[in-house]
């Protein structure tokens, strides 16, 4: 059985590590893949549901997940399509992504080929705004996965991960609103919500989410200002850990995966969020979404320093 099964698209990462040069470091990305690897590094038993191309990058991902202890029995290999790719560029306003992913294997996922049995054997199903945005058949696949999770008593976790390159804002708002109603845990970022609601006030944003019918636990991510836990009864601000970030790519995914992993260990929301804040901060200390994801020992050491 599994703690966490995630569903979405892995993307090969080419990360500009020298600002003025045309040098890119190859790594791995894809928000839900990052999250599931982060969770595995915290000790959770994980599986990933996706489709990769029958190409060198698809094979690299299969090797990566297996090396990280992530179950790949639900990963399809598509002989006709490619594994998606993205570039990370760094500038004064942080990082920006460019994608080469249209028609990718993952975007061709369908409900019919989904290995839903894995979802029924898990505590959490984790999906994101990107899983919903990449194509209509992928969106249908996410809805089918959520239906299977709910029927089986598997909790549904949703990260907003809004990418406006992938879908128009009105569609994103409608689909994410529908999906957050089905989620036991909703993980929106303040930046994403600002695009969806037009306001930048955390309290009003949480009201919008509740008024929209979200009934589960909501953790609103405020970047360097930490996060707010709204468990339906109260709202609890949680401070962030201060670090000198090098590359924040994948920090939100590390937060999601670490939070789920700690919930599976029995942590309270408060303890799990404190841990996930520390893990996410540590994940920004190196380039790339996956390579700098911390392991449990590093997170505990950082938490110990912070409380000393
Ligand atoms: O959260 C980081 C991801 O956004 C990155 O790894 C690439 O999945 C990605 C995407 O679609 O933006």
């Amino acid at each position: 059985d599994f703690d966490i099964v995630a569903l979405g698209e892995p993307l090969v990462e080419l990360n500009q590590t020298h600002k003025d040069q045309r040098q890119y470091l190859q790594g791995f990305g894809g928000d839900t893949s990052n999250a599931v690897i982060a969770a595995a590094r915290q000790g959770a038993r994980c599986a990933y549901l996706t489709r990769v191309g029958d190409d060198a990058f698809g094979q690299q991902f299969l090797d990566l997940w297996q090396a990280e202890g992530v179950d790949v029995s639900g990963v399809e290999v598509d002989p006709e399509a490619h594994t998606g790719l993205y570039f990370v560029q760094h500038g004064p306003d942080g990082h920006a992504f460019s994608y080469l992913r249209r028609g990718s294997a993952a975007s061709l996922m369908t409900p019919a080929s989904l290995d839903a049995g894995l979802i029924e054997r898990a505590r959490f199903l984790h999906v994101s705004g990107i899983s919903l945005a990449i194509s209509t058949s992928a969106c249908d696949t996410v809805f089918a996965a959520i239906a299977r999770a709910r029927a089986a008593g598997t909790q549904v976790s949703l990260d907003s991960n809004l990418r406006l390159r992938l879908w128009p804002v009105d569609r994103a708002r409608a689909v994410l609103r529908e999906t957050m109603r089905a989620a036991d845990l909703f993980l929106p970022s303040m930046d994403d919500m600002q695009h969806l609601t037009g306001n930048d006030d955390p309290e009003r944003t949480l009201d919008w989410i509740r008024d929209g019918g979200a009934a589960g636990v909501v953790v609103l991510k405020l970047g360097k200002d930490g996060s707010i836990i709204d468990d339906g009864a109260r709202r609890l601000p949680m401070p962030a850990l201060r670090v000198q970030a090098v590359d924040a790519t994948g920090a939100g995914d590390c937060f999601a995966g670490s939070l789920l992993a700690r919930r599976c260990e029995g942590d309270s929301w408060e303890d799990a969020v404190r841990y996930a804040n520390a893990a996410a901060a540590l994940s920004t200390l190196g380039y790339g979404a996956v390579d700098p994801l911390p392991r449990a020992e590093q997170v505990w050491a950082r938490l110990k320093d912070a409380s000393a």
Side-chain angles (χ1 to χ4, degrees):
D1 287 359
F2 300 106
D3 293 316
I4 303 151
V5 174
L7 166 61
E9 171 158 47
L11 293 176
V12 169
E13 178 183 83
L14 291 174
N15 202 317
Q16 184 187 46
T17 51
H18 298 81
K19 257 188 218 118
D20 303 317
Q21 299 169 27
R22 288 171 291 179
Q23 279 188 36
Y24 288 82
L25 180 69
Q26 196 225 303
F28 300 97
D31 63 340
T32 46
S33 170
N34 303 336
V36 94
I37 294 171
R41 288 194 183 180
Q42 312 320 310
R45 296 159 306 162
C46 299
Y48 195 44
L49 294 171
T50 191
R51 201 186 276 200
V52 294
D54 186 8
D55 49 30
F57 290 141
Q59 191 56 51
Q60 281 186 10
F61 265 111
L62 286 164
D63 294 344
L64 170 73
W65 293 317
Q66 277 166 303
E68 298 286 346
V70 174
D71 184 283
V72 296
S73 60
V75 176
E76 299 170 76
V77 178
D78 190 328
E80 317 259 306
H82 62 279
T83 308
L85 175 73
Y86 76 120
F87 296 85
V88 188
Q89 266 120 1
H90 299 275
D93 300 328
H95 62 275
F97 300 140
S98 316
Y99 298 123
L100 286 177
R101 71 192 314 176
R102 192 160 304 149
S104 69
S107 73
L108 303 177
M109 277 189 287
T110 64
S113 59
L114 178 72
D115 192 347
L118 292 180
I119 298 169
E120 293 174 356
R121 293 167 47 207
R123 302 268 300 275
F124 283 101
L125 167 69
H126 179 68
V127 297
S128 79
I130 297 172
S131 323
L132 291 158
I134 51 175
S135 69
T136 38
S137 76
C139 187
D140 291 347
T141 308
V142 174
F143 280 120
I146 290 175
R148 286 295 282 262
R150 289 178 69 91
T154 299
Q155 295 182 59
V156 176
S157 156
L158 169 68
D159 190 321
S160 60
N161 269 351
L162 180 68
R163 299 288 182 270
L164 290 172
R165 293 264 179 89
L166 300 181
W167 53 352
V169 70
D170 289 336
R171 183 174 159 83
R173 186 186 303 106
V175 174
L176 278 169
R177 231 179 173 185
E178 190 62 34
T179 315
M180 81 188 183
R181 290 193 186 116
D184 299 281
L185 172 62
F186 182 39
L187 300 170
S189 74
M190 196 58 224
D191 282 350
D192 290 355
M193 294 312 292
Q194 203 170 334
H195 287 291
L196 296 181
T197 70
N199 88 68
D200 60 3
D201 175 61
E203 288 294 330
R204 279 170 56 204
T205 299
L206 285 164
D207 293 343
W208 185 93
I209 291 168
R210 290 293 176 207
D211 294 346
V217 171
V218 179
V219 182
L220 179 63
K221 296 174 283 179
L222 308 174
K224 60 178 181 19
D225 295 325
S227 51
I228 303 177
I229 306 171
D230 179 336
D231 65 4
R234 58 179 193 147
R235 290 178 181 170
L236 185 66
M238 298 289 294
L241 217 102
R242 298 248 163 250
V243 285
Q244 280 294 329
V246 172
D247 175 10
T249 305
D253 310 327
C254 180
F255 181 87
S258 307
L259 177 63
L260 293 177
R262 289 312 308 168
R263 284 295 291 172
C264 290
E265 286 296 318
D267 274 10
S268 65
W269 285 108
E270 200 176 330
D271 287 345
V273 167
R274 187 177 299 111
Y275 183 101
N277 272 341
L282 291 174
S283 78
T284 68
L285 298 179
Y287 281 104
V290 168
D291 287 344
L293 289 171
R295 296 181 186 281
E297 315 80 82
Q298 294 162 277
V299 184
W300 288 123
R302 192 68 175 82
L303 282 167
K304 216 167 128 203
D305 285 353
S307 67

